[in-house]
Amino acid sequence: MSPARSPASVLPRPLIAALATLALLTTAGPGAAAASGAEAPFRFFAPGSPWNQQLPRTAPLNSSSGEFVAALSREVNRELETDQGPSISTSSNSVPIYTVPAGQPTVPVQLTSTFTVPALSSAWSAVPLPPTAQPAPGKDHHLVVWQPSTNRLWEFWHLVDSAAGWQAGWGGAMQNASSNFGTYGPAAWPGATGSWGGSASSLSIAGGLITLEDLRKGEINHALAIGVPQVRAGEYAAPAERTDGESTNPMALPEGAHLRLDPSLELWRLHLPPLTLMIARAAKRYGIFVRDIAGNVTFYGQDPGTTGGDPYAGPNGFFEGTYPARLLSAFPWTHLQLLQMQLTSSGG
């Protein structure tokens, strides 16, 4: 067994500095108003949500788990060899979370989709979106608004502040967010369907984020979201509700696929960088859900744009002055396992 050590004793000095910087940048986490106390960190969605359930050691595996993991590991190795990844998206192609008070003025957000969806337009008719809000840089322009006082959450894809006001191409809204499973469907909002949501899988983009609160506490006690370059066409796995997969490769993971690290793996023996160890512990306890297609294998860290700084960057940041790919090169990819999947054809 490894000797017991305090968290501070295992953190490099740059990480201790990053924690101090983060404490100054953010005085409250995304769920500060809803958190029950320091010993119960806020987590989006219901305790029984797939995002929040610890996995039993005996969770059944997919019969081809080894082949799927080998294919994913080959992709990671290819990205490392070509300097394309893997990555942790933070200040681009991730998700800023705006936690707003009860009195936040509301604005309409126009749905610009070619589909007419009255229920979604109604859900966006009065959004407590701050006038200075900025969607994430990158191709998806994601943004989440979380209002603890009303227990409501709104999320957007292709959000823009245009001359005609706020507009978005797609997204969703949740009432009673703390009891929602973190996926879109009829329970999310009156008239909601499984096609709602800012991701291509209808898994909420607030789910699976490495949040700033996780970083402050030094522990991720929820499942993680991941994007992969090849997503299976034609079917998806629960808890996903849809897919934009295009790959006919039989080893392409479907959206909604649930991976985990082997529960018998002794992480302390691997001497992982602190952030990599946090990710690995979460992957072992809660797992990783395939949420979207991405340009490379990527985890998602909360976009820090709302803080006025970047706790990830620089020599004293959580990336320790290097690239996420270098941190993730130490992640034990070959020890992942694919859990048994409940597949649905995207044709019906």
Side-chain angles (χ1 to χ4, degrees), residues 139-267:
K139 64 184 183 68
D140 289 325
H141 297 281
H142 281 144
L143 184 144
V144 164
V145 176
W146 162 235
Q147 190 172 48
S149 61
T150 61
N151 200 13
R152 290 182 171 185
L153 178 149
W154 295 260
E155 62 183 64
F156 303 98
W157 174 78
H158 280 186
L159 179 69
V160 295
D161 186 8
S162 71
W166 289 100
Q167 300 177 333
W170 199 249
M174 286 185 183
Q175 59 182 9
N176 304 316
S178 64
S179 60
N180 189 279
F181 265 35
T183 61
Y184 279 95
W189 197 277
T193 71
S195 67
W196 286 27
S199 75
S201 58
S202 290
L203 298 174
S204 173
I205 57 175
L209 281 177
I210 302 167
T211 68
L212 301 182
E213 183 170 355
D214 294 334
L215 297 179
R216 280 197 303 271
K217 292 187 174 295
E219 182 179 18
I220 304 167
N221 49 5
H222 56 79
L224 297 162
I226 198 170
V228 294
Q230 288 196 52
V231 170
R232 183 185 300 183
E235 57 186 2
Y236 52 89
E241 294 285 344
R242 57 189 169 111
T243 182
D244 63 346
E246 299 178 344
S247 176
T248 57
N249 184 335
M251 290 295 102
L253 290 163
E255 281 169 339
H258 196 179
L259 298 152
R260 68 147 344 141
L261 277 178
D262 183 343
S264 66
L265 182 63
E266 295 179 306
L267 294 175

Side-chain angles (χ1 to χ4, degrees), residues 4-41:
R5 290 174 291 177
S6 68
S9 69
V10 299
L11 287 176
R13 288 185 183 275
L15 264 292
I16 295 173
L19 285 166
T21 301
L22 184 56
L24 290 172
L25 288 173
T26 55
T27 58
S36 59
E39 306 224 346

Side-chain angles (χ1 to χ4, degrees), residues 32 140 171 241 260 271 273 289 298 310 329 331:
D140 289 325
E241 294 285 344
R260 68 147 344 141
H271 306 290
F289 286 103
T298 185
D310 190 346
S329 67
F331 183 86

